[in-house]
Amino acid sequence: MLLLAFLIGLAIPAVILLSLLFIDTRVKTRKDVESAVSVPFLSEIPLRKLKKKQKKEIKNGVYYDPNSKGIFTEAMRLMTTNLEFMKPEGVNHAVIATTSFSVSAGKTFIDTNLAACLADAQKKVVLIDCDLRKRTISKQFGLKHKATGLSNYLFDEAMDVAAIIRPNVIEGVDFVPAGHVPPNPTELLGRKRFDNLIAELKKTYDSIILDSVPVNVIAD
């Protein structure tokens, strides 16, 4: 009876733990990603929870420190190096659009720090806030919905590119804010004028980073 009770005591928690393991669909390691998708894996960016005082010290959401040799800084440098290797032969300009499956995944944080890292590598960088609804990066830089930006340029055929570029928001990084909140962001982003904007920016910048919206939430 004691032996039977001991075996049951082992079996019940084992069944519960195995059930939780099979039910858990969260991404935990690099292998989880590589087994599910066939695209190149660029880098693992570590998550670090900061205290309130440390958050206040981070200016414009940029945690990247060019003088640091920490895990986060090295992970960002690895990502930028791998992005350079991915460029097709003869292509000097990189247009990088980022997205995520859901909100609050850290996409905007990665964009601002990637821009800072590329600028540290002596690249000419422009960061574009393509989230015309939420405008997270624009708010981060203090450029709210009344600031002239991407939506204004896409709507106004007469507006020049130089009118929407904010220079040096991060050291070595220029920025295009989202602009006024439009009633039709999906239609605006689908216009030919958006392609013309990218073509124009390629003449000046080595890297163009587009902060987009989550794929599973908004049609943009």
Side-chain angles (χ1 to χ4, degrees):
M1 291 294 289
L2 287 172
L3 179 61
L4 182 62
F6 176 73
L7 292 174
I8 292 172
L10 288 177
I12 291 174
V15 169
I16 293 171
L17 290 171
L18 283 170
S19 299
L20 291 173
L21 186 63
F22 284 118
I23 293 170
D24 188 3
T25 58
R26 291 176 295 178
V27 176
K28 294 183 177 179
T29 65
R30 175 172 178 162
K31 286 184 179 179
D32 295 334
V33 178
E34 291 179 322
S35 62
V37 297
S38 58
V39 295
F41 192 96
L42 293 178
S43 178
E44 291 177 274
I45 308 300
L47 173 66
R48 182 179 180 184
K49 293 183 179 180
L50 304 175
K51 297 177 182 178
K52 286 184 179 180
K53 186 179 179 181
Q54 290 175 310
K55 286 181 180 179
K56 289 179 181 178
E57 292 174 356
I58 298 176
K59 190 178 179 182
N60 298 329
V62 179
Y63 186 67
Y64 175 82
D65 182 2
N67 300 315
S68 172
K69 291 185 179 179
I71 296 173
F72 176 79
T73 300
E74 291 302 321
M76 293 304 301
R77 285 172 179 162
L78 177 62
M79 179 187 285
T80 55
T81 303
N82 288 338
L83 281 170
E84 284 295 310
F85 278 117
M86 285 181 66
K87 279 185 184 178
E89 188 177 354
V91 175
N92 297 320
H93 310 282
V95 181
I96 305 163
T98 63
T99 187
S100 61
F101 184 74
S102 58
V103 295
S104 302
K107 167 178 52 62
T108 299
F109 178 76
I110 294 297
D111 285 339
T112 51
N113 284 277
L114 175 61
C117 188
L118 286 166
D120 184 41
Q122 304 303 309
K123 302 287 183 184
K124 293 198 73 176
V125 185
V126 62
L127 181 61
I128 305 177
D129 189 355
C130 294
D131 188 348
L132 302 184
R133 302 170 195 259
K134 199 174 179 182
R135 310 181 312 281
T136 305
I137 298 185
S138 298
K139 291 175 183 175
Q140 210 165 266
F141 293 123
L143 300 169
K144 298 183 179 180
H145 63 279
K146 290 184 179 180
T148 303
L150 179 61
S151 62
N152 306 92
Y153 176 83
L154 296 176
F155 176 77
D156 187 356
E157 296 283 341
M159 185 173 285
D160 188 64
V161 176
I164 61 172
I165 296 176
R166 306 299 172 107
N168 227 42
V169 290
I170 306 169
E171 190 173 350
V173 179
D174 292 347
F175 178 60
V176 175
H180 293 188
V181 182
N184 57 340
T186 306
E187 189 272 332
L188 275 180
L189 291 168
R191 290 185 180 183
K192 182 67 178 175
R193 191 158 165 80
F194 185 79
D195 296 331
N196 296 339
L197 171 65
I198 300 300
E200 193 67 29
L201 292 173
K202 281 182 178 179
K203 297 176 183 178
T204 307
Y205 298 96
D206 301 310
S207 299
I208 302 165
I209 302 174
L210 312 177
D211 183 63
S212 191
V213 296
V215 296
N216 199 41
V217 180
I218 302 170
D220 301 0

